[in-house]
Structures are given as C-alpha cells and as structure tokens.
C-alpha cells in the first residue's frame, strides 16, 4: 500500500534560516508528488507539484522541492524563511488506481513555526 | 471562477444527531473526493465520486457514513448518529475529469461532536 512519511512533526526556525522538510513515500510505480500548505484557519493550498521532467521543482513563495527517485524522496526547501511561512505543510502522493482516478495519500504534516 | 465551496464551515452536533456536509466543485469539474483530517494527522481519503456514481469508497467507514453526488446540486457527505470520534475537518477536492491528477481543495468543514 502507498504511504507517505514526513520526518518532522514540528519545526521551529528563526527568520532567515533555511528550511528543509523531509518527505519519503512508498510506491513502486509512477507517482505524482505534491506539497501543500495550510495557513492557520485556512484551507489547503498547492505549493508545488511534480509530474515528470526536471526533478527540481520551483513553487510559489520561493519554495522548491527535489524529487530523488532512487531515495523515494521529495523534500521541500526554502533558503530563507519568513514569519509568514508559519503554517502546516503536507507532502502528498497520488498514482493512478484501478478506478481510473487518483487517490491522494497525505503525510501527517509538519508544523512550521517561524520566530520573528 | 469560483473555487471549491464547502458549507457549513463549522458544524456542531450532539452525539446521535446527523451531520450533512456539502461540497460544490469548481465550475466544469465533475468529480469529487472527500477526505477527513483528524487532529494531529494528515488527510485520509474517504470516497471518490462522479455525478450519480460512487467510484471508490474504500476509505469510508462501513457504517453511518454515506456520500452522494447527484446530477444537480452539491456532493453531500452524510454522517448518521455521530459520535465524538467523528469530530474532524472534512475536506473535499474536485477534478475536471477522472484522468486529472491535480485536485483543488475546498476550505473544509470542521465538525465538532459534543
């Protein structure tokens, strides 16, 4: 069965620090990979996605992620975080299913708190 | 173009009551997914529907939970005889067609069972 593992449940950083959030998945076939962000009291927003092509993906708000197929990883990075990046971050994976749809599997999330 | 709409945003029910959660997909989207987010956990898939058809309900609890997506109107997730353990945020996501792999999420409904 597919699963997604996020290594850190809580991360605290100071402004301008660099960020890397780990994500590993288990699935043997072709997958689509996503990072979503959920700001306090708001709904999920897509940060970036990887379907195919260049494994280094640029997203919104200065975020990027690198797909390393051999490690089944899709880590999220940002060189310099801001207070406004305080949010919960979810890694997600989907792949085609027998039904023809794409059931998305989410990691448990990482809560990032950025100190001003 | 309006995004995915969910209502109500917050719903409070007493144990044993029924909860109805609504999801209106984005314009032009004919497929809907429902997910549940328990406290301190990620989103868990519940059910995948297209209009008038349940495609995959492998994530739905066997009892008390049902979902529909009629030809006209929103998709509805119905929970009968709610229990405290049903307290969670319920999100729906829509896609245009069955083969689309990027889902657009609604703001969620936060259900609290007293």
């Amino acid at each position: 069965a597919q699963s997604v593992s996020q290594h850190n449940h809580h991360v605290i950083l100071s402004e301008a620090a660099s960020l890397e959030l780990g994500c590993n998945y288990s699935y043997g076939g072709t997958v689509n990979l996503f990072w979503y962000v959920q700001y306090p009291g708001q709904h999920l927003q897509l940060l970036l996605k990887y379907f195919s092509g260049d494994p280094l993906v640029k997203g919104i708000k200065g975020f990027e992620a690198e797909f390393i197929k051999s490690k089944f990883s899709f880590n999220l990075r940002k060189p310099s975080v801001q207070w406004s990046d305080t949010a919960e971050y979810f890694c997600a994976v989907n792949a085609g299913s027998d039904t023809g749809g794409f059931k998305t599997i989410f990691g448990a999330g990482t809560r990032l708190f950025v100190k001003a | 173009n309006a995004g995915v709409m969910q209502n109500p945003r917050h719903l409070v029910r007493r144990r044993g009551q029924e909860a109805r959660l609504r999801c209106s997909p984005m314009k032009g989207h004919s497929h809907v997914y429902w997910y549940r987010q328990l406290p301190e956990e990620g989103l868990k898939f519940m059910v995948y529907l297209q209009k008038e058809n349940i495609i995959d309900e492998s994530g739905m609890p066997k009892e008390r939970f049902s979902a529909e997506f009629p030809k006209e109107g929103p998709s509805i997730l119905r929970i009968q005889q709610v229990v405290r353990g049903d307290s969670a945020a319920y999100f729906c996501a829509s896609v245009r067609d069955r083969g689309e792999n990027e889902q657009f999420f609604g703001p969620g409904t936060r259900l609290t069972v007293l």
Side-chain angles (χ1 to χ4, degrees):
Chain A
Q2 296 174 39
S3 66
V4 178
S5 174
Q6 290 185 239
H7 309 150
N8 309 98
H9 293 297
H10 295 90
V11 173
I12 301 174
L13 294 173
S14 297
E15 275 196 311
S18 65
L19 170 73
E20 180 158 3
L21 300 182
C23 173
N24 286 90
Y25 66 93
S26 68
Y27 183 70
T30 301
V31 294
N32 306 301
L33 300 155
F34 306 82
W35 275 97
Y36 288 90
V37 60
Q38 188 175 26
Y39 297 103
Q42 298 188 26
H43 61 284
L44 284 171
Q45 299 175 42
L46 182 66
L47 267 182
L48 47 80
K49 60 190 178 189
Y50 173 80
F51 291 166
S52 63
D54 188 345
L56 184 61
V57 180
K58 303 274 188 202
I60 61 170
K61 305 187 181 188
F63 286 90
E64 65 178 32
E66 185 174 12
F67 170 50
I68 303 179
K69 190 174 181 180
S70 60
K71 295 184 178 180
F72 297 90
S73 70
F74 190 55
N75 292 354
L76 180 71
R77 298 194 292 250
K78 185 170 183 177
S80 175
V81 294
Q82 301 171 316
W83 176 80
S84 58
D85 293 324
T86 294
E88 189 158 16
Y89 293 81
F90 293 94
C91 181
V93 171
N94 72 22
S97 68
D98 295 340
T99 62
F102 289 82
K103 185 190 312 183
T104 302
I105 309 296
F106 286 83
T110 297
R111 291 195 178 199
L112 171 65
F113 179 72
V114 180
K115 297 183 291 185
Chain B
N1 191 10
V4 179
M5 312 277 284
Q6 286 188 251
N7 68 82
R9 293 293 307 276
H10 299 274
L11 181 62
V12 179
R13 284 288 177 266
R14 297 193 181 278
R15 282 180 295 170
Q17 292 184 318
E18 179 180 286
R20 281 184 181 237
L21 288 62
R22 295 174 187 77
C23 169
S24 297
M26 286 180 69
K27 187 176 179 180
H29 286 195
S30 60
H31 291 68
V32 163
Y33 294 79
W34 283 94
Y35 295 87
R36 176 165 62 175
Q37 184 182 27
L38 294 169
E40 305 297 321
E41 293 186 22
L43 281 73
K44 298 277 194 270
F45 167 81
M46 297 182 76
V47 62
Y48 171 38
L49 312 104
Q50 69 176 120
K51 284 189 184 287
E52 298 184 287
N53 186 30
I54 297 174
I55 298 174
D56 182 348
E57 57 182 345
S58 59
M60 287 277 271
K62 295 288 186 286
E63 297 175 350
R64 302 188 296 107
F65 284 72
S66 62
E68 62 177 6
F69 190 13
K71 187 176 179 181
E72 301 290 337
S75 174
I76 295 175
L77 180 67
R78 183 179 174 211
I79 311 172
Q80 295 177 288
Q81 299 174 323
V82 296
V83 301
R84 288 226 174 96
D86 297 332
S87 294
Y90 293 82
F91 291 90
C92 82
S94 74
V95 294
R96 187 180 304 275
D97 297 308
R98 186 179 286 211
E100 291 280 330
N101 54 19
E102 181 178 347
Q103 299 168 18
F104 296 84
F105 283 83
T109 294
R110 189 163 298 277
L111 171 66
T112 301
V113 180
L114 301 177

